[in-house]
């Protein structure tokens, strides 16, 4: 029988624990973008690329104040893309007024997001992020309209709208 040292056992257990916490661990959609050049940008490069509110939201999971996003009133045909890397996330026909003050969608381009459990406010929520640049977008709630019953509650500063 091979004897395993306590240090090796703890190191291996620690590596598994860290990998389980990674947003990449559970989402194949996130792994497909693992070699994206957006993943190699430094914090300083992100700060230089993005407006301050977008930077705080996408890179540090801030939340914009409700009813402040011009995208709340965006009703044209088109696509909502990640403000950090332009990856398409939502089609305009999936957008609806949730009454929450944030752009909300009942469907998402599933291959282009990743999710993780967020305990920031003391109880678990599902946070979703751009699969390519890992930029924080918002949270998923199960109180949306038919046909999905989902509400992707997005920070407007984390999106850019591309008209059709």
């Amino acid at each position: 029988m091979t004897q395993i040292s306590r240090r090796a056992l703890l190191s291996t257990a620690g590596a598994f624990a860290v990998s389980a916490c990674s947003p990449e661990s559970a989402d194949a959609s996130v792994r497909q973008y693992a070699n994206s050049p957006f993943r190699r940008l430094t914090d300083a490069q992100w700060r230089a690329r993005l407006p301050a509110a977008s930077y705080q939201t996408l890179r540090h999971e801030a939340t914009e104040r409700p009813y402040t996003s011009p995208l709340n009133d965006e009703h044209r045909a088109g696509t909502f893309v990640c403000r950090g890397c332009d990856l398409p996330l939502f089609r305009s026909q999936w957008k609806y007024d949730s009454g929450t003050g944030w752009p909300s969608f009942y469907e998402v381009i599933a291959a282009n997001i990743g999710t993780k459990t967020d305990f920031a406010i003391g109880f678990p929520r599902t946070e979703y992020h751009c699969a390519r640049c890992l930029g924080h977008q918002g949270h998923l709630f199960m109180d949306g309209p038919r046909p999905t019953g989902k509400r992707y509650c997005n920070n407007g500063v984390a999106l850019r709208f591309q008209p059709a």
Side-chain angles (χ1 to χ4, degrees):
M1 179 190 285
T2 305
Q3 200 166 10
I4 299 174
S5 74
R6 183 170 184 242
R7 178 176 288 166
L9 180 63
L10 291 174
S11 294
T12 302
F16 280 120
V18 168
S19 69
C21 294
S22 167
E24 295 179 87
S25 64
D27 295 305
S29 59
V30 174
R31 286 191 299 273
Q32 77 176 339
Y33 293 108
N35 293 320
S36 167
F38 292 102
R39 301 273 186 100
R40 293 189 290 275
L41 294 177
T42 66
D43 191 63
Q45 289 170 315
W46 279 114
R47 186 184 301 270
R49 287 174 59 93
L50 296 168
S54 297
Y55 165 77
Q56 287 299 326
T57 298
L58 287 164
R59 308 318 308 168
H60 297 285
E61 299 182 4
T63 301
E64 69 184 344
R65 288 190 346 265
Y67 300 101
T68 59
S69 176
L71 294 181
N72 285 332
D73 298 320
E74 181 57 68
H75 302 291
R76 295 176 290 168
T79 305
F80 293 86
V81 302
C82 173
R83 178 71 175 82
C85 70
D86 291 331
L87 187 67
L89 301 176
F90 303 100
R91 309 256 182 263
S92 60
Q93 63 265 32
W94 301 335
K95 185 174 181 281
Y96 72 100
D97 183 0
S98 65
T100 62
W102 289 282
S104 298
F105 305 85
Y106 63 82
E107 186 64 81
V108 66
I109 300 171
N112 292 350
I113 68 156
T115 62
K116 69 178 182 179
T117 302
D118 171 3
F119 291 94
I121 61 173
F123 61 89
R125 297 181 298 170
T126 301
E127 182 263 349
Y128 63 95
H129 50 269
C130 173
R132 182 161 54 194
C133 73
L134 301 178
H136 171 75
Q137 293 292 321
H139 290 88
L140 171 61
F141 301 96
M142 299 307 292
D143 60 2
R146 291 182 179 194
T148 66
K150 296 177 181 179
R151 173 171 52 100
Y152 291 89
C153 188
N154 220 95
N155 288 285
V157 295
L159 294 173
R160 200 169 55 73
F161 180 71
Q162 292 179 335

